[in-house]
Amino acid sequence: MSVLYDAPGPKTRRRSRIASVISILAIIGLLVWLYFTLAAPRISANGVETPGMFDPSRADILSDPILWQAFGRGVVNTLRMAAVAAILAVAVGILFSFGRSARSRWVRIPTTVILEFLRGLPVLLMIFFVFLVFSTGSYWAGVIGLGLYNGAIIGEALRAGIQALPRGQREAGMSIGLTVLQTRFFIEFPQAFRQMLPIIIAQLVVLLKDTSLAYVVSYQELARTIKGLQDFYGNRYLFTLYAVGLVLYLILNLSLSWLARYIARRSGPKQGATIDPEVPKIPGGDGTQALMLPLRGGNLKRGG
Amino acid sequence: MDAIIAVTPLYLAGMVKTLQLLVIAGIGAFIVGVFVAALRISPVPALRAFATAYTELIRNVPLLLVLFFFAYVMPILGSNLDYFTLAAIGLTVYTSPFVAEAVRSGINGVPVGQAEAARSIGLGFTQTVTLIVLPQAGRMVVPPLINVFIALTKNTSVAGLFFVDELFKATGPATRDYSDAIIPVLLYAGALYLSITVPLGILAGYIEKKVTVLR
């Protein structure tokens, strides 16, 4: 129950019911309209009538094993790239978080500059850059491009996590005789990582979505598969192929998002956590889009 | 160096298209996003559910697939819009849930006490939202919103894969024509992107700091 409005009385309940019914009808109307618009046969520019989008003649390829094999390969290729890029991104992120919170300014400033670079550039451009400049082949171009970009974002999240720890943690580590590096590794980092786990996983979901950008270097992932199959079966099947690809992406992403939420709930910030709960809160936590990271309190200052 | 000078006209033309996409899709996404955010806090459950479904669905579809739909599938469905318009619509649709989330998180960021206080002095839903919550949320929303626009700037590059002659698309012919200077030519394009994203980022950080002081 929101504080924005009272527990509804009988009159409001009736009004709310009416509003609900009207909006449900409107939404259903919209969906029905969409369905019939799609299902209606249409006349193309040269006067030929083509069947509607749900016409069986557009769906007959769905029983073709070649199609499913191709989609299967697409899914596997997408996952293969996402998995390796995710490992790379976390590794790069850890390095960045250390570099940015280093005490020597000869480490800190160059790291900051590189990080700003990576965060401000389109992933697409990075993948293209790696592909052309290092001639790595399309798979590694995608992996490296995605790994660097998402690594930069994860690095910022980790750094915010380290910075948000109470000073006492670090001081306690030093006072029992650990070196600066040991304190960072054994005291600060594990806590920051745990705190930031939900953000990191949310970023990995973004990474999975962004594997589709390897389209640009003709990597045969899911989106390329749709295009390839369009060339194979012809334009009339494009709508069907697209719908299949879309559903596959949704299954992949929604299940990973669900997993992310599950892990976040299990191992996210605990009650009585040492970190100010304000800091790691992220609205939505997303995006090629990323950069929804909180900027609060100079924790994640950009620019500068 | 010659290559840099030679590709400049091409890049600037691309940059103009990129900025156009950014502005058009930015405004469009803002309008749609605020509308969706309004639906998400509305007292009518059906509208809330619809807005939630919309947000969840679109956020889980890759941008490339959204633009793919607009560039390849829409023409088959009988649209005769040009690719620029289609890409602008696609970016609008894709960005709107992120705007909605930013706005919603801003609204949620206003302490509950504020809404409670407003309710306790007898203000209704509309009054509470328009007079108390929104004016405060407005300030909190700006930095995350700018971050959404930074992301949008970078996302406009994907439109280059779908026949829009924006900045990223321009790197194709540029690298082909100056294959001996690929690195500077690509870095040049990157610098142009950074010239949009970095100032926006600094602006977001600056406003963020001001808002924090005000609180």
Side-chain angles (χ1 to χ4, degrees):
Chain A
M1 190 70 235
S2 167
V3 290
L4 290 177
Y5 28 85
D6 283 326
K11 224 176 183 176
T12 322
R13 269 209 299 275
R14 200 173 61 230
R15 232 180 309 165
S16 155
R17 254 203 308 277
I18 294 171
S20 274
V21 169
I22 291 176
S23 26
I24 289 173
L25 285 180
I27 293 165
I28 290 176
L30 194 75
L31 293 178
V32 168
W33 173 80
L34 201 68
Y35 178 83
F36 279 106
T37 314
L38 287 176
R42 57 203 74 231
I43 315 289
S44 69
N46 45 19
V48 182
E49 192 180 292
T50 57
M53 291 302 144
F54 300 121
D55 194 86
S57 73
R58 286 187 190 271
D60 51 11
I61 50 168
L62 289 181
S63 55
D64 187 347
I66 297 176
L67 174 117
W68 294 107
Q69 278 162 17
F71 270 120
R73 272 196 305 275
V75 170
V76 169
N77 282 341
T78 290
L79 289 177
R80 219 157 56 93
M81 176 174 283
V84 178
I87 295 168
L88 183 66
V90 172
V92 169
I94 292 172
L95 282 181
F96 268 130
S97 72
F98 286 162
R100 272 212 76 171
S101 46
R103 285 169 77 196
S104 154
R105 101 170 59 133
W106 296 106
V107 178
R108 203 172 55 230
I109 293 178
T111 319
T112 312
V113 171
I114 295 172
L115 214 125
E116 287 303 324
F117 251 73
L118 291 180
R119 295 202 328 171
L121 289 175
V123 196
L124 202 55
L125 191 64
M126 279 190 235
I127 295 176
F128 195 52
F129 186 91
V130 176
F131 184 69
L132 285 186
V133 174
F134 300 108
S135 325
T136 50
S138 55
Y139 175 72
W140 285 104
V143 167
I144 295 172
L146 289 169
L148 285 180
Y149 177 78
N150 291 288
I153 307 239
I154 290 173
E156 277 300 84
L158 283 176
R159 190 182 68 100
I162 291 178
Q163 216 171 49
L165 286 175
R167 282 165 57 99
Q169 294 293 325
R170 180 184 157 80
E171 286 162 1
M174 306 286 279
S175 73
I176 57 168
L178 299 180
T179 63
V180 177
L181 221 59
Q182 280 172 326
T183 310
R184 176 134 296 155
F185 262 110
F186 299 122
I187 309 289
E188 294 180 289
F189 186 71
Q191 298 185 59
F193 195 82
R194 188 192 192 107
Q195 289 291 337
M196 289 299 168
L197 200 59
I199 295 178
I200 293 171
I201 295 176
Q203 193 57 40
L204 295 184
V205 178
V206 173
L207 188 150
L208 177 63
K209 260 169 52 171
D210 281 358
T211 52
S212 62
L213 296 178
Y215 183 92
V216 70
V217 288
S218 301
Y219 180 65
Q220 286 296 330
E221 41 68 57
L222 206 37
R224 256 297 161 197
T225 305
I226 300 175
K227 195 80 190 67
L229 287 173
Q230 180 201 359
D231 298 338
F232 182 67
Y233 287 110
N235 262 339
R236 64 187 268 107
Y237 291 113
L238 181 60
F239 185 81
T240 314
L241 293 170
Y242 182 84
V244 173
L246 188 70
V247 169
L248 287 176
Y249 259 119
L250 281 175
I251 292 173
L252 283 184
N253 288 326
L254 286 174
S255 48
L256 191 62
S257 302
W258 176 83
L259 186 72
R261 250 172 246 170
Y262 177 75
I263 294 177
R265 217 176 324 126
R266 279 200 41 183
S267 59
K270 289 260 165 10
Q271 280 242 307
T274 43
I275 288 191
D276 173 9
E278 279 291 291
V279 179
K281 218 175 273 169
I282 276 214
D286 244 297
T288 319
Q289 32 303 5
L291 291 187
M292 298 273 289
L293 292 174
L295 295 151
R296 187 154 303 144
N299 272 319
L300 273 175
K301 229 178 306 159
R302 284 187 50 93
Chain B
M1 199 58 215
D2 291 344
I4 297 277
I5 296 167
V7 297
T8 299
L10 185 66
Y11 274 13
L12 287 185
M15 185 82 170
V16 170
K17 272 272 178 358
T18 293
L19 287 171
Q20 281 174 345
L21 276 179
L22 173 61
V23 171
I24 296 174
I27 294 173
F30 181 75
I31 296 170
V32 179
V34 169
F35 182 67
V36 173
L39 291 187
R40 282 200 79 166
I41 60 162
S42 81
V44 183
L47 294 180
R48 272 207 305 270
F50 178 70
T52 312
Y54 174 84
T55 312
E56 277 302 301
L57 194 71
I58 296 194
R59 287 207 325 181
N60 279 296
V61 178
L63 170 62
L64 190 115
L65 232 65
V66 174
L67 292 185
F68 189 101
F69 178 83
F70 281 95
Y72 288 124
V73 183
M74 280 301 272
I76 288 181
L77 296 178
S79 109
N80 44 15
L81 298 167
D82 62 295
Y83 285 122
F84 178 83
T85 315
L86 288 171
I89 298 173
L91 284 167
T92 301
V93 169
Y94 181 77
T95 312
S96 58
F98 295 101
V99 172
E101 282 298 280
V103 171
R104 198 172 69 100
S105 75
I107 291 173
N108 286 344
V110 176
V112 187
Q114 296 287 326
E116 281 169 352
R119 299 283 302 135
S120 74
I121 58 168
L123 300 188
F125 172 75
T126 321
Q127 283 172 316
T128 311
V129 171
T130 56
L131 297 177
I132 307 294
V133 177
L134 278 188
Q136 299 185 62
R139 264 182 294 181
M140 315 250 302
V141 161
V142 174
L145 213 51
I146 293 179
N147 284 337
V148 171
F149 291 136
I150 292 175
L152 174 61
T153 310
K154 295 187 288 182
N155 286 344
T156 56
S157 64
V158 181
L161 298 180
F162 299 102
F163 320 113
V164 178
D165 294 314
E166 50 70 71
L167 186 49
F168 177 72
K169 178 89 178 290
T171 59
T175 47
R176 218 171 301 128
D177 295 347
Y178 300 95
S179 50
D180 49 340
I182 287 179
I183 297 179
V185 162
L186 284 179
L187 286 182
Y188 184 25
L192 287 176
Y193 274 112
L194 288 174
S195 74
I196 308 175
T197 53
V198 169
L200 278 177
I202 293 173
L203 182 69
Y206 174 75
I207 295 177
E208 176 78 37
K209 222 175 286 167
K210 280 203 111 166
V211 175
T212 324
V213 171
L214 280 170
R215 275 237 158 253

